[in-house]
Amino acid sequence: MATLSFNSTRIKSPSLQSQKPIPKSHFYTKPNNVSFLFSSKNHQHLHHSKPNSVSESSVSVPEEAFDDSEVDDPTSELSYLDPDTDPASVTEWELDFCSRPILDIRGKKIWELVVCDSSLSLQYTKYFPNNVINSITLKDAIVTISEDLGVPLPEKVRFFRSQMQTIITKSCKELGIKPVPSKRCLSLLLWLEERYESIYMRHPGFQKGSKPLLALDNPFPMELPENLFGEKWAFVQLPFSAVREEISSLDERFVFGAGLDLDLLGIEVDDSTLIPGLAVASSRAKPLAAWMNGLEVCSVEADTGRGCLLLSVGISTRYVYATYKKTPTTTSEAEAWEAAKKACGGLHFLAIQEDLDSDDCVGFWLLLDLPPPPV
């Protein structure tokens, strides 16, 4: 790994280039002021079905009004597995089960189950009336996905809504699936943002201005557990080329951490672009990285008001990761680091090392700030 350093005057905005959109398969998100292209392989082959009873009853649209050739019918549902994907390789799902800004004929919000994997090789959506929302319904739906698409039940299911934790956890455990509360559901989060504009807003039952029923938590930060303490830390930066090398070598060097599928997200950054990060040093770096590896690390934030760094993990946990004495200099450095993140569209990293002067990492997490989905 290249030597880590921080020089706010050298931070440059990345050159981001969107691929040519695939018809009915381009997913856009705008974290901060940077646009990304979010697309899936062979997404043009998505198979939509006619509306189920929930959609039909919710909008009272006659059956003859639907055309099987319209693959983007907002009332239709989706059940798709990339034909080039080995079903046995789809072992982790991302799942959202929540109400949508759409009313049925009773004036009640329709609920929707949205499931995918991180590569979008698996994609599934289904509407439900609000009077059947329970763990039994969800468990049956998970089994149906497995049977209809010919994929095994997943080993893990990630979800990002704390309010649905009880239902999702119960459903998964009864099926022998490990539920993982995590905001590292980037494919799902970006897909939901895209669906809001391309599906929900076009649905005949759409309610403009409707606020999400289950808003995401932003809890007050807690004290950091003792086993997560580092000894030193520093704001740092790495050329994007070095960040890619770190991510590609995670498995090869048995390093703790996690990357992001930048190709899937459509993030194209010049190799020379400097990506901001946080380096943490500890004489017990390996145990520290091992503990961090089980936390589903989401993001690091510099809170200039409190004079501290905040570590977000899971879905509703924030820790005071480190503190610093507030001075004009330290405040300026923290603000410059946050500005660098914004210039990179929220892209940043966390590195754990035995020494801040070391060229090697024991743990490396590539992170991305995303706004909450509109639903």
Side-chain angles (χ1 to χ4, degrees):
M1 181 176 125
T3 301
L4 295 166
S5 62
F6 184 77
N7 182 348
S8 60
T9 62
R10 293 182 59 196
I11 294 293
K12 294 181 286 186
S13 297
S15 173
L16 297 173
Q17 301 174 347
S18 296
Q19 304 168 1
K20 185 177 180 180
I22 302 174
K24 299 182 183 8
S25 69
H26 54 289
F27 305 97
Y28 290 97
T29 180
K30 295 182 180 180
N32 302 311
N33 297 320
V34 182
S35 295
F36 293 77
L37 172 68
F38 179 58
S39 62
S40 63
K41 289 182 179 179
N42 300 317
H43 190 35
Q44 61 268 37
H45 299 305
L46 297 181
H47 299 160
H48 292 259
S49 64
K50 288 184 179 180
N52 71 354
S53 58
V54 176
S55 291
E56 286 179 329
S57 64
S58 66
V59 296
S60 300
V61 179
E63 183 175 351
E64 58 268 20
F66 296 100
D67 183 350
D68 287 337
S69 65
E70 289 295 327
V71 299
D72 59 348
D73 180 351
T75 64
S76 66
E77 296 170 339
L78 174 62
S79 181
Y80 171 80
L81 180 68
D82 188 331
D84 295 329
T85 297
D86 178 6
S89 68
V90 184
T91 60
E92 297 185 6
W93 294 1
E94 299 177 6
L95 180 152
D96 185 42
F97 194 30
C98 189
S99 68
R100 300 297 182 233
I102 302 170
L103 299 185
D104 60 20
I105 59 175
R106 302 170 302 148
K108 304 296 184 181
K109 281 190 175 183
I110 292 176
W111 282 58
E112 184 186 40
L113 173 64
V114 176
V115 176
C116 66
D117 69 330
S118 62
S119 68
L120 289 178
S121 297
L122 180 150
Q123 301 177 42
Y124 183 92
T125 68
K126 184 173 179 61
Y127 292 119
F128 292 89
N130 73 335
N131 58 358
V132 298
I133 306 306
N134 54 52
S135 62
I136 296 175
T137 296
L138 180 57
K139 183 178 74 170
D140 291 345
I142 292 174
V143 172
T144 298
I145 296 172
S146 173
E147 293 176 347
D148 287 357
L149 295 179
V151 297
L153 289 174
E155 298 172 4
K156 297 179 181 179
V157 165
R158 284 183 170 81
F159 62 95
F160 62 88
R161 296 190 199 269
S162 61
Q163 300 93 334
M164 296 302 295
Q165 187 159 358
T166 299
I167 288 179
I168 295 175
T169 298
K170 188 176 189 325
S171 303
C172 288
K173 287 189 174 180
E174 289 181 0
L175 293 172
I177 301 169
K178 181 179 179 180
V180 181
S182 174
K183 288 182 180 177
R184 289 187 69 91
C185 302
L186 297 185
S187 296
L188 177 61
L189 288 167
L190 293 176
W191 189 19
L192 286 174
E193 183 174 340
E194 184 274 338
R195 284 183 64 78
Y196 182 81
E197 296 185 4
S198 68
I199 302 296
Y200 308 142
M201 289 181 65
R202 296 177 52 249
H203 196 289
F206 176 71
Q207 297 297 300
K208 185 177 180 180
S210 178
K211 295 183 178 180
L213 178 64
L214 304 179
L216 298 192
D217 294 330
N218 191 28
F220 191 79
M222 303 184 300
E223 184 178 345
L224 188 70
E226 187 175 345
N227 60 307
L228 299 181
F229 272 100
E231 295 162 8
K232 296 180 181 179
W233 63 271
F235 288 132
V236 298
Q237 61 185 0
L238 274 177
F240 182 65
S241 58
V243 170
R244 286 191 308 175
E245 290 176 7
E246 288 295 330
I247 295 303
S248 64
S249 66
L250 286 177
D251 293 332
E252 298 172 5
R253 298 193 289 113
F254 302 103
V255 174
F256 295 106
L260 299 173
D261 191 336
L262 300 181
D263 291 333
L264 176 69
L265 299 178
I267 301 176
E268 296 185 1
V269 184
D270 290 340
D271 284 347
S272 59
T273 298
L274 297 172
I275 308 299
L278 182 74
V280 176
S282 173
S283 56
R284 41 184 288 279
K286 287 187 178 180
L288 174 59
W291 278 107
M292 293 286 290
N293 208 45
L295 293 181
E296 293 289 317
V297 179
C298 303
S299 66
V300 177
E301 173 190 351
D303 187 331
T304 56
R306 294 189 180 97
C308 66
L309 305 180
L310 301 179
L311 175 71
S312 295
V313 303
I315 53 176
S316 58
T317 302
R318 294 200 302 166
Y319 293 121
V320 177
Y321 196 40
T323 59
Y324 59 87
K325 184 178 180 180
K326 291 177 62 176
T327 68
T329 299
T330 57
T331 298
S332 177
E333 289 179 355
E335 290 175 345
W337 190 77
E338 281 295 326
K341 271 205 306 177
K342 185 175 181 179
C344 292
L347 197 64
H348 60 295
F349 64 87
L350 172 65
I352 294 180
Q353 302 173 281
E354 294 179 346
D355 188 283
L356 290 180
D357 294 326
S358 173
D359 286 343
D360 296 318
C361 289
V362 177
F364 192 93
W365 289 262
L366 187 58
L367 311 172
L368 181 65
D369 286 344
L370 280 181
V375 292

